[in-house]
Amino acid sequence: MSTVIDDLKWRYATKKMDSSKKVDQEKIDYILEAIRLSATSSGLQPFQVLVITNDEIKKQIHPHAWSQDPIVDCSHLIVFAAWDNYTEARINEMFDLVNEERGFKNEGWENYRQMLLANYVPRDKEVNYQHAARQAYIGLGSALIAAAQQKVDCTPMEGFDPIKVDEILALEEKGLRSVVLLPVGYRAEEGDWLNGLKKVRRATENFVIEIK
């Protein structure tokens, strides 16, 4: 059985995907569940994921993502979209869900709710969006690991016009803003200059700083 480290050594940011190969739904569900279970600040889960298999939608996004081929060649295009703002309704919904699922109310938890409402809701909308976007990146990390475990290729992409993608996916009306794209599929045998090259990372001693 492979380890997480082995899986991470195997994965790379695939530059060319085989459009004829589709990822089984079971594997996609595994990746999505890993994203859903990711840690987020205060457990608010302030982002959502859109899973796009519609070829026409992918083609519309393609020119607004630097015409990167994985956008159209991938099996599934996952879009991480963060809340555009923290609102009273959104915060209360998550706190109420916790109370419902756990079957009780906790005074400390309710005090924490009031603290978030008092601090997040009045805050600048852009500040709140940026905070939510950082939570989406935690989910992205989970997705990369889960995909590697399933031996599924993926390529995280920030190189796109979020305004255009938001328009194509009608995200504004959903109270969302696109953060990062993740084409998911299988690497092509030819046409990917990265395929087969050695993974290169800084040595541990040049990467990890120990403070004892």
Side-chain angles (χ1 to χ4, degrees), residues 18-162:
D18 187 340
S19 60
S20 69
K21 294 182 178 179
K22 302 302 178 184
V23 180
D24 292 341
Q25 189 61 45
E26 181 180 0
K27 293 179 181 291
I28 295 296
D29 290 343
Y30 183 90
I31 295 168
L32 294 175
E33 184 67 357
I35 300 170
R36 189 182 72 88
L37 293 173
S38 296
T40 56
S41 179
S42 302
L44 291 177
Q45 291 184 282
F47 67 93
Q48 291 186 241
V49 292
L50 293 83
V51 183
I52 302 169
T53 54
N54 184 299
D55 288 338
E56 291 305 314
I57 298 296
K58 289 192 285 186
K59 288 178 183 177
Q60 289 179 43
I61 293 174
H62 186 238
H64 304 296
W66 298 358
S67 298
Q68 297 175 86
D69 288 340
I71 295 290
V72 289
D73 292 336
C74 68
S75 172
H76 296 67
L77 177 60
I78 298 177
V79 179
F80 290 78
W83 289 354
D84 60 359
N85 199 4
Y86 286 112
T87 65
E88 182 176 343
R90 280 172 160 168
I91 292 172
N92 281 330
E93 180 180 5
M94 290 307 300
F95 273 79
D96 290 343
L97 177 62
V98 170
N99 289 339
E100 179 182 345
E101 290 293 316
R102 292 178 177 169
F104 65 89
K105 286 187 177 182
N106 178 281
E107 181 180 358
W109 183 242
E110 290 304 317
N111 289 339
Y112 189 65
R113 179 207 298 253
Q114 295 307 317
M115 186 271 288
L116 288 189
L117 289 171
N119 285 277
Y120 281 24
V121 175
R123 201 163 58 179
D124 181 77
K125 183 176 182 179
E126 182 63 22
V127 171
N128 281 340
Y129 162 71
Q130 293 297 335
H131 182 271
R134 287 194 291 274
Q135 310 313 304
Y137 276 98
I138 300 174
L140 173 66
S142 298
L144 297 180
I145 295 171
Q149 289 179 323
Q150 295 296 308
K151 289 298 183 284
V152 171
D153 291 296
C154 59
T155 307
M157 294 182 177
E158 288 184 311
F160 68 97
D161 184 339

